[in-house]
Amino acid sequence: EVQLVESGGGLVQPGRSMKLSCAASGFTFSNYGMAWVRQAPTKGLEWVATISYDGSSTYYRDSVKGRFTISRDNAKSTLYLQMNSLRSEDTATYYCTRARGRGYFDYWGQGVMVTVSS
Amino acid sequence: DVVLTQSPATLSVTPGERISLSCRASESVDTYLHWYQQKPNESPRLLIKYASQSISGIPSRFSGSGSGTDFTLSINGVELEDLSIYYCQQGNSLLTFGSGTKLEIK
């Protein structure tokens, strides 16, 4: 059974940093691209970043470029999202997802809440 | 960025009805259009990939159609458990989601 378990969320002040982790199991992690998708409270879904199966390619939405970094450790089957210079508009539930083919997400974690507030 | 417009925003239905939800793209996305269901307080789950391809484990009452800019998600015989928000998402260029259609059961 595929499982994606996020951790590392919480309350953080504007301008500070936070790192999310996603522990994957139930599939060969190193064979798949992975992505983060977020959802602000009562809002819709928003793609954040994608990383290729080997970490050689990364893609970001414009609003997080230069502030967020997606990375992975295939030996640990773990996906990361380093978030710097956080803004109030980054407040959301962040979902770890498995990315397939032409940009669809076939498995989702339970999500982790990030609140950016003073 | 490709903008996806979903309609209606909210749909009230009677169990057993056949319904169609619309997703329109601001430019062609070929068939790189996918559908998700998000039940209250749950994570989204993939329903349909590449506009019309079914997903293992998803009930057969869900189907998708369309190509280019106009897409439809159909539910043939709505059930109470289908109370959800449905999102379309395109993978032709930088990934974007529609704003969702909320399905309410009468």
Side-chain angles (χ1 to χ4, degrees), chain A residues 37 39 43-47 95 101-106 108-110, chain B residues 32 34 36 38 42-44 46 49-50 87 89 91-92 94-95 97:
Chain A
V37 175
Q39 186 171 34
K43 301 297 184 182
L45 301 169
E46 185 174 82
W47 167 75
Y95 294 102
R102 283 298 289 265
Y104 68 93
F105 312 108
D106 64 349
W108 298 62
Q110 85 284 355
Chain B
Y32 302 120
H34 319 295
Y36 301 84
Q38 186 175 29
E42 293 188 9
S43 302
L46 180 67
K49 64 181 181 181
Y50 299 121
Y87 294 96
Q89 176 249 319
N92 190 51
L94 280 182
L95 310 180
F97 288 87

Side-chain angles (χ1 to χ4, degrees), chain A residues 8-48:
Chain A
L11 175 65
V12 62
Q13 292 180 329
R16 303 298 290 264
S17 298
M18 177 174 278
K19 187 172 186 176
L20 305 181
S21 299
C22 170
S25 60
F27 65 102
T28 303
F29 183 72
S30 58
N31 286 353
Y32 292 87
M34 299 293 294
W36 291 96
V37 175
R38 68 185 179 185
Q39 186 171 34
T42 72
K43 301 297 184 182
L45 301 169
E46 185 174 82
W47 167 75
V48 175

Side-chain angles (χ1 to χ4, degrees), chain A residues 12-118:
Chain A
V12 62
Q13 292 180 329
R16 303 298 290 264
S17 298
M18 177 174 278
K19 187 172 186 176
L20 305 181
S21 299
C22 170
S25 60
F27 65 102
T28 303
F29 183 72
S30 58
N31 286 353
Y32 292 87
M34 299 293 294
W36 291 96
V37 175
R38 68 185 179 185
Q39 186 171 34
T42 72
K43 301 297 184 182
L45 301 169
E46 185 174 82
W47 167 75
V48 175
T50 297
I51 188 168
S52 61
Y53 69 100
D54 60 355
S56 63
S57 299
T58 56
Y59 310 88
Y60 300 91
R61 69 177 303 102
D62 285 348
S63 62
V64 308
K65 270 182 197 173
R67 299 190 300 123
F68 288 14
T69 301
I70 188 171
S71 63
R72 63 191 298 158
D73 184 337
N74 284 347
K76 295 182 178 179
S77 296
T78 302
L79 176 72
Y80 303 102
L81 185 67
Q82 176 68 46
M83 304 183 291
N84 298 332
S85 303
L86 282 161
R87 306 167 180 168
S88 58
E89 55 264 37
D90 296 318
T91 293
T93 296
Y94 285 73
Y95 294 102
C96 169
T97 70
R98 193 171 77 171
R100 303 296 307 280
R102 283 298 289 265
Y104 68 93
F105 312 108
D106 64 349
Y107 287 96
W108 298 62
Q110 85 284 355
V112 62
M113 184 68 199
V114 173
T115 302
V116 184
S117 174
S118 54

Side-chain angles (χ1 to χ4, degrees), chain B residues 12-58:
Chain B
S12 293
V13 301
T14 301
E17 267 189 84
R18 175 182 170 86
I19 64 166
S20 294
L21 310 183
S22 172
C23 177
R24 181 161 293 176
S26 60
E27 62 187 73
S28 177
V29 298
D30 198 344
T31 57
Y32 302 120
L33 190 288
H34 319 295
W35 291 94
Y36 301 84
Q37 176 192 55
Q38 186 175 29
K39 295 184 178 182
N41 301 311
E42 293 188 9
S43 302
R45 72 165 175 169
L46 180 67
L47 285 181
I48 298 287
K49 64 181 181 181
Y50 299 121
S52 62
Q53 294 183 17
S54 59
I55 302 298
S56 175
I58 299 300

